[in-house]
Amino acid sequence: MTRRVLAQARFETVTMVRNGEQLLLLVILPVMALVALTMTDLLDPYRTDGASRVDVAVPGILVLCVISSAFSGQGIQTGFDRRYGVLRYLSTTPLGRSGLIAGKFLAIMAVLVLQYVIIAVVAVFLGWQPPVLAVVGSIPLLVLVAVSFTGLGMLIAGTLRAEATLAVLNVVWVALAAGGGVLFPLTTLPAWASWCVQWLPSAAAGELMRECFLGSTTTFVPLLVLGAWAVLSWAATVKWFKWV
């Protein structure tokens, strides 16, 4: 089983990386966003304790990378695999349904490592000098973010038609990046909107990553929100996901 899961994970990883549209979503757009936020003054009002623009930008960009791979990238791929009957056939092989899901999640982790390295290299050239403990602490947080958004992506891919999945995931990706608390802190929004958005997994992830890298006081509410989304999204996926 281990060999089968690893083989599936390798296949899923190569498929995601070789796809031009996926590569745009997974790497090129996050890098462009990082450079743009560092070169402009959009994040200047949120710099505290001598933090540079790139210091404020990187946490949100890392969360955006996870959303790109775990939510949009894998969700779109799974939606079209379901449409063309790939999921149905693979679920009847010795790999099984659990092995298929495990392979997909390992592929997301592999792509996330690649994204982290690329973003870190670009950020270092832009002047990023993160504490080692912050980098280490960000890893389990990003894994939790990946679990949450993988569940949401699989839920949408397993309940909607492939074309609808493509449209919904892309629209949600843009909405979360622009106003979901990912790239910009919740203080950028009006009070009523900030209160609503804080319960989204994107906002919780963004706040946790900024707290991790910027050294602010850690709050448990975003962690609880993200954990709740992880549990609920996977529970809903188990209940409603359709393999055909």
Side-chain angles (χ1 to χ4, degrees), residues 86-210:
V86 176
L87 294 186
R88 179 180 60 188
Y89 289 122
L90 286 178
S91 65
T92 61
T93 66
L95 179 65
R97 296 184 176 184
S98 60
L100 178 58
I101 293 175
K104 286 182 174 293
F105 186 74
L106 287 179
I108 291 171
M109 291 295 99
V111 171
L112 180 56
V113 170
L114 177 63
Q115 290 174 301
Y116 202 132
V117 171
I118 293 174
I119 292 299
V121 170
V122 174
V124 167
F125 276 103
L126 294 173
W128 190 46
Q129 295 179 335
V132 175
L133 289 179
V135 174
V136 174
S138 69
I139 295 175
L141 292 178
L142 288 174
V143 172
L144 179 57
V145 178
V147 171
S148 301
F149 279 97
T150 300
L152 290 170
M154 294 289 285
L155 176 62
I156 294 173
T159 54
L160 300 179
R161 295 177 58 186
E163 293 81 3
T165 297
L166 177 63
V168 169
L169 291 180
N170 283 332
V171 169
V172 172
W173 185 89
V174 173
L176 293 181
V182 176
L183 300 179
F184 301 96
L186 293 176
T187 52
T188 60
L189 301 173
W192 64 269
S194 175
W195 186 89
C196 295
V197 172
Q198 71 176 331
W199 305 110
L200 296 177
S202 56
E207 291 302 308
L208 286 173
M209 290 300 293
R210 279 185 282 271

